[in-house]
Amino acid sequence: MAQRLEERILEYVKQHAAEGDPQSVVDHIDKYCSQKEWAMHVGDEKGLILDQVVKETNPTIVLELGTYCGYSATRIARLLKPGSRLLTVEMNPENAAVAKQMIQFAGVQDKVEILEGSTEVIIPSLKTKYGVDRVDFVFIDHFSERYTADTKLLEECQLIKKGSVLLADNVVFPGAPDFLEYVRTCGRYDCTYYPSHLEYSDKLDALEKAVFKGP
Ligand SMILES: Cc1ncccc1-c1cc(O)c2nc[nH]c(=O)c2c1
Ligand SMILES: [Mg+2]
């Protein structure tokens, strides 16, 4: 029995999912976390909203804040066109190690790069160190206390342009009230609220989409 929850999830996927099949990996993580042990992946219900927003955005460069075990990185990467990239930031090295294996098993490693460290350090280095010019889509799913600061950082670093899409998880539970206040009132975003439920739970939660209108 693997010591950590995240390692038990990875083990279950390796033993039951189809290698190289990202949908199978996503489905098996959902199966494990709804039947055996709860874990904080965006999940299948909010995941369908994430899929829809990714499809309508059709992004070339995706940034994800908060990799965890790689569930949403796998979910997003499976929808990306050839030649597109997903950069995902994870500050917990043990989670990053699990996510690396999960992404590899799913067969999406050519599209996904895991950046280990904190967002406040990595975001300002994306242009110089990772050759990023602009990001088309940002999935914000790390710590709700960092959502607003990191959104402002993306603006200041000129990483988002007119039309860039931010999609934030957990704006109801655990909640990101200052983020909602900021994107809805600063005048630079067109916002859409997607009510849903907390992953593997009947508690209410929601995603907020904020489309950047330009500086
Ligand atoms: C852990 C937890 N417990 C009870 C209720 C919600 C959560 C929870 C759910 C999530 O989707 C999260 N996503 C990113 N980061 C988080 O910290 C996080 C926490
Ligand atoms: Mg979340």
Side-chain angles (χ1 to χ4, degrees):
M1 177 83 152
Q3 294 316 310
R4 291 183 341 111
L5 164 62
E6 295 75 22
E7 285 157 356
R8 291 197 289 275
I9 297 167
L10 176 63
E11 207 170 279
Y12 180 80
V13 165
K14 285 184 172 177
Q15 283 164 15
H16 297 85
E19 184 158 12
D21 179 346
Q23 187 64 54
S24 176
V25 166
V26 163
D27 291 343
H28 282 84
I29 294 173
D30 285 332
K31 186 165 184 229
Y32 186 86
C33 295
S34 41
Q35 292 176 3
K36 297 178 177 63
E37 297 184 87
W38 189 92
M40 61 177 174
H41 316 294
V42 70
D44 44 349
E45 186 182 316
K46 290 186 288 180
L48 283 171
I49 299 167
L50 171 61
D51 289 352
Q52 172 215 319
V53 177
V54 170
K55 285 176 184 169
E56 73 191 19
T57 310
N58 193 25
T60 304
I61 305 291
V62 177
L63 175 64
E64 175 179 65
L65 308 181
T67 314
Y68 192 40
C69 299
Y71 174 94
S72 46
T74 300
R75 194 160 188 134
I76 293 167
R78 88 192 202 286
L79 300 175
L80 296 182
K81 57 191 177 241
S84 42
R85 285 169 79 194
L86 189 160
L87 301 169
T88 180
V89 183
E90 176 56 49
M91 69 182 295
N92 178 315
E94 292 177 321
N95 291 346
V98 165
K100 187 172 179 349
Q101 295 175 72
M102 191 75 79
I103 285 157
Q104 213 120 34
F105 186 85
V108 292
Q109 69 286 343
D110 294 347
K111 292 183 184 297
V112 181
E113 189 171 354
I114 302 172
L115 312 181
E116 252 184 75
S118 69
T119 48
E120 69 239 61
V121 170
I122 289 185
I123 289 173
S125 74
L126 285 174
K127 285 188 183 239
T128 50
K129 193 170 175 197
Y130 299 98
V132 175
D133 176 35
R134 291 280 195 278
V135 295
D136 307 305
F137 183 89
V138 187
F139 183 49
I140 307 174
D141 190 25
H142 53 334
F143 299 112
S144 40
E145 306 77 30
R146 283 290 316 170
Y147 284 18
T148 306
D150 286 341
T151 298
K152 289 177 177 173
L153 204 47
L154 288 166
E155 288 182 39
E156 287 152 19
C157 298
Q158 298 183 353
L159 281 159
I160 53 178
K161 63 186 187 310
K162 186 172 166 26
S164 292
V165 175
L166 310 185
L167 184 68
D169 190 26
N170 309 116
V171 297
V172 167
F173 196 81
D178 58 305
F179 171 77
L180 290 181
E181 167 76 17
Y182 177 68
V183 291
R184 291 174 178 178
T185 64
C186 76
R188 286 188 296 282
Y189 296 91
D190 286 319
C191 298
T192 310
Y193 183 73
Y194 297 92
S196 185
H197 294 91
L198 181 69
E199 49 267 27
Y200 322 115
S201 157
D202 53 10
K203 283 184 174 26
L204 293 178
D205 191 10
L207 298 169
E208 180 84 353
K209 181 174 78 169
V211 182
F212 192 52
K213 298 198 283 190

